[in-house]
Amino acid sequence: MKKGFIPLNFQFQSEKEVEKLSGDIYNELNLRRSVREFSDRPVSKKTIENLVAAASTAPSGAHKQPWFFCAISSLELKAKIKEAAEKEEYENYHGRMSQAWLKDLQPFETNEHKPFLTIAPWLVVLFRRSYDLVDGNKKQLYYTQESVGIAAGMFIQAVHRAGLACLTHTPSPMNFLQKVLNRPANEKPYLLMPVGYPAEDCEVPDIERKPLDEILKFYE
């Protein structure tokens, strides 16, 4: 065995088992929806720890793991984030966004008001580290956008499989998150995700996902 390596812990399945499992996973994830109407029902700190741990199993360039998660349950901090986010969103909806963009958003009935930012029990902010600091010295990181994007996807999947809901909220620009949470200069906000249970009367847009023939081509 090569130095620095260990045997892969992997359980092989038959082709039929793999096909069934892949179908089961699709059927489960196809039920996932982004929600904007949350319950204030509590979610334990341990649950959030587990979800972040699951996300942190994502692959990354040279295994540098260039992500950092901030989990906020403080009502005071959530209120500050909501105030700052709604200020940026007001500017977006009243000048920054193009008319085409606003038209595309109409079916979702979104606006600058974001009550979910204080209703959801947790706000999870994912930061992307552009470089590491070791003893005050900058250390290069690799493929940070791709790596953090994969971690985000795995976090969203983990939230759904845990029986919870979330929203990928991007009140651009998001620099205020760096200030409110007092994060260092090498961390840039990537996603703001309310996490919790959907409201009992939660409704989501009646939309469909693209069929496979629009997103997949086989080369055999």
Side-chain angles (χ1 to χ4, degrees):
M1 187 181 302
K2 291 182 289 185
K3 185 178 180 180
F5 285 74
I6 60 174
L8 173 66
N9 184 4
F10 188 88
Q11 183 177 355
F12 286 89
Q13 309 278 356
S14 70
E15 183 175 354
K16 286 186 177 180
E17 289 171 328
V18 170
E19 187 173 302
K20 180 183 183 303
L21 285 170
S22 65
D24 291 344
I25 291 169
Y26 163 70
N27 289 330
E28 180 181 354
L29 294 184
N30 193 39
L31 296 175
R32 189 209 61 79
R33 294 297 302 267
S34 297
V35 306
R36 292 177 172 82
E37 298 170 359
F38 285 86
S39 165
D40 60 1
R41 180 178 170 185
V43 172
S44 72
K45 181 179 178 181
K46 182 61 178 177
T47 296
I48 299 300
E49 288 179 347
N50 289 337
L51 296 175
V52 171
S56 71
T57 66
S60 59
H63 195 55
K64 294 298 184 180
Q65 305 164 76
W67 46 71
F68 193 87
F69 292 80
C70 292
I72 303 105
S73 63
S74 162
L75 288 175
E76 181 182 358
L77 273 180
K78 288 196 292 184
K80 287 182 179 180
I81 290 172
K82 178 177 180 290
E83 180 181 5
E86 289 185 334
K87 180 179 178 181
E88 295 295 349
E89 291 286 48
Y90 180 87
E91 297 297 329
N92 288 335
Y93 280 90
H94 295 84
R96 288 177 182 160
M97 291 178 175
S98 66
Q99 288 302 310
W101 191 347
L102 291 171
K103 183 177 179 181
D104 284 339
L105 287 175
Q106 284 179 356
F108 305 99
E109 298 184 355
T110 59
N111 54 44
E112 68 269 25
H113 303 294
K114 310 298 178 183
F116 51 77
L117 291 176
T118 49
I119 295 174
W122 291 94
L123 299 183
V124 176
V125 183
L126 173 56
F127 286 86
R128 177 183 66 86
R129 284 183 169 164
S130 52
Y131 57 90
D132 262 342
L133 282 173
V134 180
D135 297 327
N137 298 314
K138 288 185 178 181
K139 297 294 183 181
Q140 187 175 1
L141 298 176
Y142 314 97
Y143 299 106
T144 60
Q145 287 283 4
E146 295 87 345
S147 300
V148 176
I150 295 169
M154 293 183 69
F155 181 83
I156 293 165
Q157 179 185 187
V159 168
H160 174 72
R161 299 193 72 174
L164 298 171
C166 72
L167 174 70
T168 51
H169 184 41
T170 52
S172 180
M174 295 194 290
N175 294 338
F176 67 88
L177 290 168
Q178 195 171 22
K179 297 177 182 178
V180 172
L181 299 174
N182 195 29
R183 300 309 305 163
N186 64 325
E187 293 181 8
K188 304 300 180 185
Y190 191 88
L191 278 177
L192 167 57
M193 295 175 283
V195 177
Y197 292 95
E200 290 188 7
D201 57 351
C202 179
E203 295 182 345
V204 294
D206 184 12
I207 56 177
E208 294 182 359
R209 295 183 169 94
K210 290 182 178 180
L212 276 180
D213 60 6
E214 290 187 19
I215 64 169
L216 171 67
K217 181 175 182 178
F218 285 102
Y219 293 81
E220 298 179 286

